[in-house]
Amino acid sequence: MSETPIVVKDPAGSRDNEIRPFAIEGMDVRGRAVRLGTVVDQILKAHDYPEPVAKILGELLTLTAMLGSMLKFNGIVTIQTKSGGPVPMMVADYELKEDGVGRLRGYADINAETMAQYGKNPSFHGLIGSKNGYLALTIDQGEDMDRYQGIVELKGETLSEVARNYFQNSEQTPTEIRLRCDHDPVTNYWRAGGIMVQHLARGETGQERILERNTAEEWNRASVLMHSVKTEELLDPQLTLDQLLYRLYNEDGVRVFDSVALVHACRCSRERLITVISQFSDDDIDHMTVDGKISVHCQFCNSTYDFTPEEAHAAHAAAAEGVPEETSDETSDKN
Ligand SMILES: [Zn+2]
């Protein structure tokens, strides 16, 4: 057996962890292709999810990156599923910062008891979609800006179907999506990939309105070609997204736009968490103290932060006085 490195590095020249926007020449069709390597591997390996749950979370991360990259401004896109099934909640979020790099993170909540009842190969519906399950898409543009939220029922046999329904119903935009997450057969690392095409409203691409043009036919062609992609092709590390797009659309001509790089990054930090703790009362802080410390767990990245009761009380006192947190937080590890 070959040795597995503890930290998975992207191979030199790797084109993983990118989102590639594209348009098909002469058609009112645009799309996104996404490929995740180390990013999805790190996120999924930080937890010990049952295989079927990990695969859906990998697809959710792919979908979130895809939709997040469609924003025209810096912000956070969150996609969350809720249901009464064995996976009561699953969430992924994507944040684009000024450096133009997309940050991705996510986790799943699992009810181990009900999970056991579903056997080895539970369906998507059984895990996620049952009992009034829904998927919510939230777009956050930061403080003082409107928050957008769209919701769709978790009806369908795959996450791709749910996402497709979301676009058809909420956005009235004809959309086809394929998502996939699985182990690399050679390295056993997690990989994920996805592709989507959308039919734009007439004229949105800046073209003249050509009323006679048969857009139904071109849309049909673009989606049939997209669905001809093999699941292995979505994940294959030897096949870049550009090669994949060329394979699918070379007869029509495909134009690719600047890609967005993706990294796995969590937004948790000691500073952020002590601010949360500072909002609790002194009594609450005492109740939260176990074995002389207050432990706060970040479900996204599975890290635990420990605070002393003194730190917590001092932060609370500072917050109550309205003193900026930084000046009181002398014990924090920043320097
Ligand atoms: Zn975290």
Side-chain angles (χ1 to χ4, degrees):
M1 224 177 97
S2 64
E3 262 188 33
T4 311
I6 295 165
V7 177
V8 186
K9 287 228 172 79
D10 290 313
S14 166
R15 293 288 301 276
D16 281 344
N17 305 319
E18 76 163 342
I19 307 164
R20 184 61 115 173
F22 63 90
I24 302 167
E25 296 286 80
M27 295 188 191
D28 292 325
V29 175
R30 67 175 174 190
R32 288 275 188 287
V34 181
R35 177 67 68 62
L36 301 175
T38 47
V39 168
V40 71
D41 191 68
Q42 284 162 8
I43 296 173
L44 297 180
K45 280 195 184 143
H47 306 267
D48 188 20
Y49 298 128
E51 189 96 355
V53 176
K55 283 183 182 175
I56 300 173
L57 181 57
E59 291 187 2
L60 187 69
L61 287 158
T62 311
L63 177 68
T64 307
M66 214 175 240
L67 304 195
S69 73
M70 290 163 71
L71 288 188
K72 304 262 189 299
F73 47 82
N74 296 342
I76 299 173
V77 170
T78 307
I79 306 184
Q80 195 176 72
T81 67
K82 289 231 169 157
S83 82
V87 185
M89 191 187 84
M90 197 178 261
V91 61
D93 71 32
Y94 169 93
E95 182 181 27
L96 183 68
K97 289 211 178 171
E98 294 72 24
D99 60 7
V101 176
R103 276 100 169 139
L104 207 53
R105 61 175 194 166
Y107 76 90
D109 235 359
I110 294 169
N111 182 330
E113 266 175 48
T114 40
M115 184 81 201
Q117 298 164 12
Y118 280 79
K120 274 208 160 145
N121 277 309
S123 66
F124 173 80
H125 179 79
L127 283 176
I128 309 278
S130 55
K131 294 174 190 156
N132 307 318
Y134 66 86
L135 175 145
L137 167 76
T138 313
I139 300 173
D140 224 320
Q141 304 182 49
E143 284 163 42
D144 313 323
M145 297 292 274
D146 284 342
R147 221 163 169 239
Y148 165 87
Q149 189 167 57
I151 285 178
V152 66
E153 270 184 86
L154 276 170
K155 272 192 183 150
E157 283 312 307
T158 60
L159 187 64
S160 310
E161 265 182 59
V162 173
R164 180 179 177 274
N165 293 341
Y166 174 83
F167 278 104
Q168 308 274 21
N169 302 334
S170 306
E171 314 273 315
Q172 262 107 52
T173 309
T175 304
E176 293 296 330
I177 298 189
R178 289 276 300 277
L179 300 163
R180 183 75 175 183
C181 173
D182 215 327
H183 288 286
D184 183 284
V186 181
T187 61
N188 209 36
Y189 298 144
W190 284 106
R191 296 183 64 74
I195 184 167
M196 74 183 284
V197 285
Q198 288 195 312
H199 194 216
L200 297 178
R202 197 45 92 65
E204 213 181 299
T205 48
Q207 291 164 342
E208 297 275 310
R209 282 172 176 261
I210 307 166
L211 294 172
E212 293 77 22
R213 209 158 90 202
N214 191 343
T215 55
E217 197 176 297
E218 67 177 34
W219 170 239
N220 191 39
R221 175 174 166 77
S223 43
V224 164
L225 286 171
M226 194 217 76
H227 280 293
S228 74
V229 69
K230 297 186 186 78
T231 49
E232 311 86 76
E233 290 176 310
L234 287 174
L235 305 179
D236 187 355
Q238 308 302 325
L239 184 72
T240 68
L241 292 178
D242 290 356
Q243 289 166 336
L244 174 66
L245 291 172
Y246 182 80
R247 211 177 254 189
L248 293 175
Y249 293 114
N250 68 80
E251 276 185 34
D252 303 279
V254 56
R255 184 181 295 272
V256 294
F257 303 98
D258 286 347
S259 62
V260 179
L262 286 163
V263 294
H264 165 222
C266 197
R267 291 197 292 281
C268 67
S269 68
R270 284 190 74 80
E271 287 74 20
R272 233 171 230 266
L273 291 171
I274 195 76
T275 309
V276 175
I277 293 172
S278 74
Q279 306 304 311
F280 288 95
S281 70
D282 284 322
D283 266 1
D284 286 337
I285 289 173
D286 289 337
H287 280 119
M288 281 151 55
T289 307
V290 178
D291 296 332
K293 64 185 183 207
I294 297 148
S295 293
V296 187
H297 180 236
C298 174
Q299 285 178 290
F300 276 99
C301 62
N302 213 8
S303 328
T304 301
Y305 295 82
D306 290 336
F307 299 92
T308 65
E310 293 74 28
E311 272 179 286
H313 286 297
H316 173 69
E321 282 170 27
V323 176
E325 211 272 305
E326 282 78 7
T327 56
S328 68
D329 188 19
E330 286 162 7
T331 45
S332 85
D333 54 2
K334 63 178 158 210
N335 233 327

